[in-house]
Amino acid sequence: QVQLVESGGGLVQPGDSLRLSCVASIRTFNSLAMGWFRQAPGKEREFVAAISWTGGTTVYADSVKGRFTISRDNAKNTVYLQMNSLKPDDTAAYFCAVGRTLLTSASDMTDPTRVRSWGQGTQVTVSS
């Protein structure tokens, strides 16, 4: 069984920052790609960012490039999403995700079908 627990969401104003955390309880965590997706009400789940198991490769959606940074601390089984310059369009539930196999790359994680498990989500609301 896989447990992914997100935290760090909240209500902020445009231009503010938030740092999301995802703590994983999963065997071989240190060998699995991790990612973040988001979903607003009535919209499809959208890829945000992903990181390779070593942390050496990161991938970002065009909508967040230059503003968001994904990182991980394998010693703590935790992946982070630093979100700067937040916009109202960033408002969504943010979900942590783990790749299906040891061969799942950061680039693979742009495809939700390559995700093994999802966290419960943490809400980010950016006021207008």
Side-chain angles (χ1 to χ4, degrees):
Q1 65 189 64
V2 179
Q3 297 183 44
L4 302 172
V5 181
E6 304 97 332
S7 63
L11 173 62
V12 298
Q13 296 180 333
D16 284 354
S17 297
L18 284 173
R19 188 194 193 201
L20 306 184
S21 299
C22 172
V23 179
S25 178
I26 181 174
R27 298 187 183 277
T28 70
F29 171 83
N30 291 350
S31 299
L32 294 171
M34 301 289 295
W36 289 93
F37 291 73
R38 65 188 182 186
Q39 187 168 25
K43 300 181 67 176
E44 296 292 314
R45 188 163 296 188
E46 175 190 19
F47 169 78
V48 175
I51 187 167
S52 63
W53 76 269
T54 65
T57 302
T58 56
V59 180
Y60 298 95
D62 288 342
S63 59
V64 306
K65 285 181 180 177
R67 299 188 299 119
F68 291 10
T69 302
I70 188 171
S71 61
R72 66 191 297 164
D73 184 344
N74 287 347
K76 297 185 180 297
N77 287 0
T78 302
V79 62
Y80 305 97
L81 186 68
Q82 178 67 45
M83 305 185 296
N84 298 328
S85 302
L86 283 163
K87 306 174 181 179
D89 285 349
D90 295 320
T91 296
Y94 283 71
F95 298 88
C96 183
V98 61
R100 284 190 57 83
T101 77
L102 298 177
L103 298 179
T104 304
S105 69
S107 294
D108 291 336
M109 293 289 289
T110 61
D111 182 355
T113 67
R114 308 299 291 271
V115 172
R116 170 67 59 86
S117 299
W118 304 91
Q120 85 287 354
T122 185
Q123 180 67 36
V124 173
T125 302
V126 185
S127 64
S128 59

